[in-house]
Amino acid sequence: MEIKILTVDDEIDVSGVIESTADLMDVEADSLSNPNDLDDTDVNQYSLIFLDLMMPEKDGIEVLRELSERSFSGYVVLMSGMDNAILNTARELATEHNLKVLDHLNKPFRVDDIEQIISRAQDLQLESKVILDPLSSLTEEQIKEALAQQRVVVHYQPQVDLISHRLVGMEALVRIQAEDGELIYPDRFISVAEQSHIIHDLTKTVIERAFSEFKELLKEHAKLTLSVNLSSDDLQDLGFVDWILEKARQYDISTSKIILEVTETQEILSYSNAMEVLGRLRLRGFKVSIDDFGTGNAVLDQIKRLPATELKIDRTFVFGLKNNDKSKVLIRNTINMCRELDLDVVAEGVEDSATEELLRSMGCQIVQGFLYSKPIPFSEIEALIVKKLKKIPTDTVCSEGGNLSEPEQVSMAPNGAVEEKPEPKERKVVLSKRDVEAEHLLSFILPLSGRFSFIGESHKVGAELAFEAHLRQYPDLKLGLEFLDDQSELEVFAKGFNKLSENTLAVVGPTFPIIKTEEFLKHTRNSDIPILAPFNGCDQLRNILAKQVYNFKPGFKEELSSIAAKLREKNGRTVCFIPHGRLAGQMSDVCHTIRGAESVIYHSDTLKESVANLKIKRPNHVVFLGAAKTLVQLIDEINIDQVEYYATSLVGTGMVKKLLSRKAKLKLEITEPLPDYQSDLQAASEFRLAAKLHRGLEDKWINTISFESFLATKLLLNLYELKQRNLSRKTLKSSLEELFSYDLGLDVPLSWAEENRQLLHHVYHIEI
């Protein structure tokens, strides 16, 4: 059935705008300028009423009472030119009158606002017939019959990470399919099921169905979580823990993937049985979420008593957030409180981009709502994931395989699944006119194709941003940039190194696996061209024999030493989880400086056995070296909130953040040799401004790698100006080696240290 609109407003111009907008959308609309005319109007022929609150004959507050008395079943949109407090009060009053408020509008409003509201009403009309055709509740017998005939079905609503827009989980929502195929929604049977105490059977049926379907989804999308609602009856059954644990084992689903939602009301949570069940569920690794937060009683007391890992902000607070200052304060304070208590926060009912942006600015990370998707059957989930496929910036992602893995580009589905890598593409060196006219060149030999291409392209972006910023300051610049593609192969890099332009001053940003360091040094040992900021961070590049290499930042051994220094001040057992290969010895040397530390060497093909060996040692602290996906697997397998994890930048901070978006209680620190590019430091601000001024630049290129390249290029450009553009390879080397307390806009200065051949020496600790 199509929607039909009624506008009640004494301002004819306002009614005219709404009617015209509706007409353009092929929606029937009427209007009344006098609210007294409602007495002679069948209000239930309308599914949407736009109601002005301030009218001379009768105000909107009075009209709300009349609509309630006449059992209006549609939606109301409140309008006012007064402050938000009046709109909020009217909305609360409408709720008390059992009216459904779709939105509220501050006058003056835009045509776009009306279009969005009408579109939402149309979506709701498709979702359920309750707008115009309220249906009676099912009886106890009808629910039992649906259970017996297996007509209970599960739909899933996606939960989205606000930072990356990656799908991180699904909430399982129950439906009953009528014999004629119609879907019956929970508002018609949940209360009856609770009152008749068949809700426990209904919950078990939902869990059985959801687990069997979710098992298939996890095969391709291993990082997704599944949220399932529990009832008060479920929490009274002391055998429920053993039952759901057996189901998780039966379907081979890790308990850490399951989030059990309990409604935040005194009726459910006040019993000792419920606390025992929830406590045992947490001990077994299940997560516990407080659902509908803010609508129950004894709110703070429930947070204190419950073994919760997550809090879900009820949709009644999220609804109309953009116009409700009180809701903004309450939600912001709730998010801050949860951050202090190590609780994940999920906001329900997000229906527009303005609300999404507000929640993001407040620090909320996980959301669900119609803006992303309505609840959908399992058969449609895969299509939704494919539709939302995104390229995820990886910073420094590591792959698994033999020795310490190599950074690589990955294309990721919303759950973290890795796509097949494309075949390397041949790319020609393209020089701009500015480069051709330049007296000298900074040459970048980068993996612009091949398995490291994300890293190479990011380096290229950072260099270009630094160059453009410098060019704005010095428009007569005679120094150019040269980019060569090494196709992610060191052999190609070596050939390119021998074919550099004669007027090349320096090479910036080569990228290669750690295991090929010796080969890299062999190819470049006899060159007089200084090489700045190689991606590789091992000790061999800091050897006094690597005279052509000028490291921009500390290496991974210094990061490990920084972790070791921090752990020396802590009590408890430390275990270093080290990949098999050439780095194992170096890492073990650092770990031995930590009192009582032990080591576990792992292979990628026997990871589970290695993790089991680690768990036997009952560590308080785990120091990890390796790839992001291995770290996440390690954390999932250990599944103990009290363990503290430490990792170096080799793991890839950006990727870890994406894969661990739902781990609020996790204690993880990652060392970084560079400050955060999103900080308020001068260099970071310059980097972001340069990115903003570069037209059409995608967000994925604004990352740690491009920031590093920006800084390195900026340094060389600054030295070029300091030497009054009279620079050669030899004088550039001497300029780098003479640097002392040089301010590049970071919180620490650059100083050359011959003993480790590097310019930056500070290691940052980032809490994830």
Side-chain angles (χ1 to χ4, degrees):
M1 188 179 298
E2 299 292 332
I3 69 169
K4 187 176 180 181
I5 296 172
L6 175 66
T7 303
V8 183
D9 195 317
D10 62 307
E11 296 182 69
I12 298 176
D13 290 344
V14 172
S15 299
V17 169
I18 295 174
E19 286 187 89
S20 298
T21 305
D23 184 56
L24 289 172
M25 300 177 70
D26 293 324
V27 173
E28 186 178 354
D30 298 324
S31 64
L32 296 174
S33 59
N34 188 335
N36 289 317
D37 292 341
L38 277 172
D39 296 340
D40 301 321
T41 303
D42 177 14
V43 293
N44 278 306
Q45 67 177 297
Y46 299 100
S47 49
L48 183 62
I49 294 180
F50 286 84
L51 175 62
D52 185 35
L53 294 180
M54 192 65 176
M55 295 180 287
E57 297 294 329
K58 183 186 295 183
D59 62 58
I61 300 293
E62 295 176 276
V63 173
L64 288 174
R65 177 179 291 279
E66 291 181 9
L67 290 175
S68 175
E69 291 171 350
R70 296 170 68 176
S71 301
F72 176 61
S73 60
Y75 282 87
V76 178
V77 176
L78 302 171
M79 303 184 296
S80 176
M82 301 185 68
D83 57 63
N84 284 334
I86 295 295
L87 282 167
N88 295 333
T89 298
R91 183 172 67 84
E92 295 295 334
L93 181 61
T95 302
E96 289 295 319
H97 285 322
N98 295 317
L99 295 172
K100 295 174 290 187
V101 180
L102 183 62
D103 208 333
H104 53 215
L105 290 171
N106 292 92
K107 292 182 177 180
F109 46 76
R110 302 175 305 171
V111 171
D112 289 351
D113 298 327
I114 304 300
E115 290 178 343
Q116 288 181 15
I117 288 172
I118 294 175
S119 294
R120 283 168 57 198
Q122 290 172 321
D123 290 341
L124 288 167
Q125 184 78 335
L126 292 172
E127 171 70 13
S128 173
K129 294 181 180 179
V130 296
I131 294 179
L132 293 175
D133 186 18
L135 301 173
S136 60
S137 297
L138 299 185
T139 64
E140 178 182 348
E141 289 71 25
Q142 287 174 318
I143 299 172
K144 287 181 176 179
E145 188 176 88
L147 284 166
Q149 296 177 359
Q150 299 183 349
R151 287 189 283 107
V152 174
V153 296
V154 179
H155 281 199
Y156 302 86
Q157 186 164 38
Q159 296 175 329
V160 178
D161 184 323
L162 264 184
I163 307 303
S164 66
H165 276 88
R166 186 172 56 89
L167 296 177
V168 294
M170 299 279 180
E171 180 181 3
L173 299 167
V174 63
R175 308 283 189 258
I176 287 179
Q177 195 164 41
E179 293 182 354
D180 63 0
E182 176 196 359
L183 279 182
I184 302 173
Y185 292 86
D187 58 342
R188 291 183 55 199
F189 59 82
I190 286 293
S191 59
V192 175
E194 288 177 336
Q195 293 165 10
S196 59
H197 297 288
I198 55 176
I199 188 71
H200 193 35
D201 294 332
L202 194 60
T203 301
K204 286 188 171 183
T205 301
V206 170
I207 290 174
E208 182 97 36
R209 174 64 62 86
F211 278 19
S212 65
E213 293 179 334
F214 194 64
K215 173 188 177 182
E216 298 302 315
L217 197 62
L218 283 177
K219 290 179 181 178
E220 296 296 328
H221 312 296
K223 298 306 173 187
L224 286 177
T225 60
L226 175 67
S227 297
V228 182
N229 291 278
L230 299 186
S231 72
S232 57
D233 283 13
D234 301 322
L235 301 180
Q236 302 309 304
D237 179 8
L238 296 180
F240 177 70
V241 177
D242 295 328
W243 180 86
I244 193 172
L245 187 62
E246 176 56 34
K247 290 299 172 185
R249 289 170 179 163
Q250 177 184 340
Y251 292 105
D252 193 26
I253 298 175
S254 170
T255 56
S256 65
K257 304 294 181 192
I258 307 301
I259 301 169
L260 301 171
E261 298 187 5
V262 293
T263 303
E264 182 253 311
T265 64
Q266 186 68 25
E267 177 185 1
I268 292 179
L269 303 177
S270 61
Y271 305 107
S272 60
N273 278 6
M275 298 303 293
E276 180 177 336
V277 168
L278 290 172
R280 289 189 62 213
L281 286 169
R282 283 293 294 120
L283 286 173
R284 295 293 188 171
F286 293 96
K287 305 296 172 59
V288 174
S289 176
I290 303 175
D291 196 12
D292 300 335
F293 180 77
T295 60
N297 304 311
V299 172
L300 294 179
D301 187 52
Q302 307 297 17
I303 294 176
K304 181 182 71 175
R305 294 164 59 204
L306 276 178
T309 58
E310 176 182 280
L311 183 147
K312 294 188 77 172
I313 299 174
D314 188 69
R315 66 184 65 249
T316 57
F317 287 90
V318 177
F319 171 79
L321 178 63
K322 56 184 180 292
N323 298 317
N324 193 324
D325 293 336
K326 291 180 180 178
S327 288
K328 291 176 186 175
V329 172
L330 291 171
I331 290 179
R332 184 181 293 109
N333 288 340
T334 298
I335 292 170
N336 290 336
M337 175 189 68
C338 288
R339 187 179 293 115
E340 292 293 324
L341 295 174
D342 291 331
L343 294 175
D344 284 321
V345 181
V346 180
E348 298 182 288
V350 179
E351 297 186 355
D352 57 78
S353 55
T355 300
E356 176 192 59
E357 186 54 41
L358 270 173
L359 289 168
R360 182 188 290 111
S361 68
M362 293 176 184
C364 183
Q365 189 162 359
I366 302 173
V367 289
Q368 66 185 85
F370 277 22
L371 180 62
Y372 313 101
S373 173
K374 65 180 182 180
I376 56 177
F378 180 77
S379 59
E380 297 178 18
I381 291 177
E382 192 64 41
L384 178 73
I385 290 176
V386 171
K387 180 181 177 182
K388 292 185 177 293
L389 188 68
K390 288 180 176 287
K391 290 277 187 181
I392 304 296
T394 60
D395 288 352
T396 54
V397 184
C398 294
S399 63
E400 303 299 331
N403 301 310
L404 181 67
S405 43
E406 309 162 355
E408 62 180 43
Q409 177 195 6
V410 294
S411 175
M412 299 195 68
N415 67 315
V418 181
E419 285 190 306
E420 299 258 337
K421 300 186 192 73
E423 289 297 318
K425 296 179 181 178
E426 295 286 341
R427 295 195 187 186
K428 295 181 179 179
V429 177
V430 179
L431 301 178
S432 69
K433 291 181 180 178
R434 174 124 229 125
D435 299 328
V436 175
E437 297 168 358
E439 294 178 359
H440 290 95
L441 294 172
L442 298 180
S443 298
F444 296 75
I445 306 180
L446 301 171
L448 300 177
S449 61
R451 64 188 186 282
F452 298 144
S453 60
F454 181 84
I455 294 170
E457 293 286 359
S458 295
H459 271 299
K460 185 173 186 288
V461 167
E464 289 174 334
L465 293 180
F467 185 78
E468 290 169 4
H470 198 80
L471 197 59
R472 281 190 287 272
Q473 188 175 0
Y474 302 100
D476 61 338
L477 181 65
K478 297 297 183 180
L479 182 66
L481 305 184
E482 176 184 47
F483 296 99
L484 295 92
D485 182 12
D486 68 13
Q487 303 172 32
S488 302
E489 296 295 338
L490 192 56
E491 292 76 12
V492 180
F493 165 85
K495 293 177 182 178
F497 197 84
N498 294 327
K499 296 179 180 179
L500 291 170
S501 302
E502 291 183 3
N503 57 347
T504 292
L505 287 178
V507 171
V508 188
T511 299
F512 53 90
I514 289 174
I515 57 174
K516 294 190 175 183
T517 304
E518 291 181 4
E519 186 180 346
F520 164 77
L521 292 172
K522 178 182 177 182
H523 285 302
T524 58
R525 187 170 290 134
N526 297 322
S527 173
D528 65 338
I529 304 177
I531 304 172
L532 186 67
F535 181 82
N536 186 314
C538 75
D539 281 354
Q540 288 168 293
L541 291 180
R542 285 157 178 78
N543 190 294
I544 196 68
L545 298 176
K547 291 185 177 181
Q548 76 282 13
V549 176
Y550 292 80
N551 295 289
F552 186 76
K553 60 184 182 181
F556 84 90
K557 191 170 182 179
E558 286 172 273
E559 295 182 53
L560 282 172
S561 297
S562 179
I563 294 172
K566 191 166 189 175
L567 286 173
R568 290 187 199 110
E569 303 172 359
K570 290 180 175 268
N571 296 319
R573 177 173 294 177
T574 298
V575 177
C576 298
F577 202 61
I578 308 170
H580 171 73
R582 64 168 56 227
L583 296 179
Q586 295 179 36
M587 185 174 178
S588 294
D589 291 342
V590 175
C591 288
H592 289 157
T593 66
I594 307 170
R595 184 178 65 253
E598 301 179 58
S599 298
V600 172
I601 309 295
Y602 71 87
H603 295 257
S604 57
D605 54 352
T606 57
L607 187 62
K608 284 199 172 184
E609 291 83 347
S610 300
V611 174
N613 186 19
L614 174 65
K615 290 179 72 172
I616 292 173
K617 298 180 182 297
R618 296 181 179 275
N620 303 98
H621 320 287
V622 174
V623 181
F624 173 81
L625 194 65
K629 65 179 182 180
T630 303
L631 175 61
V632 173
Q633 189 173 347
L634 171 67
I635 292 169
D636 283 345
E637 290 290 334
I638 293 180
N639 199 22
I640 299 174
D641 293 338
Q642 289 72 28
V643 175
E644 296 179 352
Y645 299 89
Y646 298 84
T648 72
S649 59
L650 288 171
V651 76
T653 306
M655 179 57 70
V656 169
K657 286 181 178 180
K658 293 172 180 68
L659 296 180
L660 292 176
S661 57
R662 202 164 200 157
K663 295 279 186 181
K665 285 184 174 290
L666 177 66
K667 298 178 179 66
L668 168 62
E669 282 189 16
I670 298 179
T671 54
E672 282 286 355
L674 292 175
D676 187 357
Y677 62 86
Q678 295 177 327
S679 68
D680 58 0
L681 293 177
Q682 178 187 336
S685 299
E686 291 175 357
F687 171 65
R688 295 195 302 272
L689 176 61
K692 186 176 181 180
L693 294 175
H694 187 101
R695 290 187 176 183
L697 187 62
E698 295 181 58
D699 288 343
K700 66 179 179 179
W701 303 119
I702 312 303
N703 55 49
T704 302
I705 303 169
S706 56
F707 183 44
E708 176 187 343
S709 184
F710 175 86
L711 293 173
T713 308
K714 179 187 175 186
L715 173 63
L716 294 176
L717 291 168
N718 287 357
L719 291 178
Y720 181 72
E721 299 299 335
L722 284 173
K723 291 295 181 180
Q724 299 180 338
R725 305 187 179 183
N726 184 23
L727 208 61
S728 65
R729 295 173 184 177
K730 185 176 181 179
T731 54
L732 176 58
K733 284 185 176 184
S734 61
S735 297
L736 289 168
E737 293 171 4
E738 291 168 0
L739 282 180
F740 178 76
S741 291
Y742 181 79
D743 183 8
L744 196 64
L746 304 173
D747 56 351
V748 291
L750 276 68
S751 294
W752 176 249
E754 181 66 25
E755 65 274 12
N756 54 11
R757 302 199 60 78
Q758 69 190 42
L759 295 162
L760 272 175
H761 310 276
H762 185 71
V763 174
Y764 299 83
H765 286 250
I766 299 174
E767 294 184 0
I768 302 298

